[in-house]
Amino acid sequence: MGKPILGQVILNQQNSIINPPQKNYNQGAWHRDLPYQHFTSSSPIAINAIFCVDNFTKANGATFVLPASHKSSKSPSLDYIKKNAIQVEANAGDLIVLDCMLFHAGGFNSTNVARRGVNHAYTIPFFKQQINLPDNVDPDQLSEEEKKLLGFRYSEPKTISDFLNKRPKI
Ligand SMILES: O=C(O)CCC(=O)C(=O)O
């Protein structure tokens, strides 16, 4: 079991995975899930949870990962990837949990049915969300805990007085 994120966590992004049969697709390219970022940190700051809607199998292109690549800021060579990547098979309903900085890619789906999943990236609140969720979600039906997870507490103050008012009172 890897280390958790220390302290507060928000949902930073959520995306669907639809790995089409017999076709290349975007997420089939090797990448990290903090897009275009290449650094290491001493404890995790961003964690993926991929919810498997369907079984993830070798035949339908289950996610490939490159073990320990989140500990290296350098991009791996294709040769290194070929030798060290492993494919993660999982059942529908499982969650695949990864450090967001781990290189990963969807595999080629050689079946006739799409492989589907929902990817979540949870981060420390210091990172801005991919899409501002508090401005797009109705808070009325949400608990305080749910609002916190969706980032309601952490939107950037719009003015100096907003900043001063939002600071915890000591
Ligand atoms: O298709 C997959 O299993 C990989 C999905 C992925 O890389 C992503 O959503 O960032």
Side-chain angles (χ1 to χ4, degrees), residues 15 17 25 27 31 33 56 61 63 104-106 115 119:
N15 65 270
I17 298 168
Y25 71 121
Q27 290 132 302
H31 61 281
D33 269 356
F56 279 31
T63 318
H104 61 279
R115 175 180 59 88
N119 188 10

Side-chain angles (χ1 to χ4, degrees), residues 111-132:
T111 71
N112 292 319
V113 183
R115 175 180 59 88
R116 297 162 307 162
V118 183
N119 188 10
H120 306 77
Y122 296 96
T123 66
I124 55 173
F126 200 74
F127 290 129
K128 72 180 173 63
Q129 292 168 316
Q130 187 183 49
I131 294 171
N132 179 320

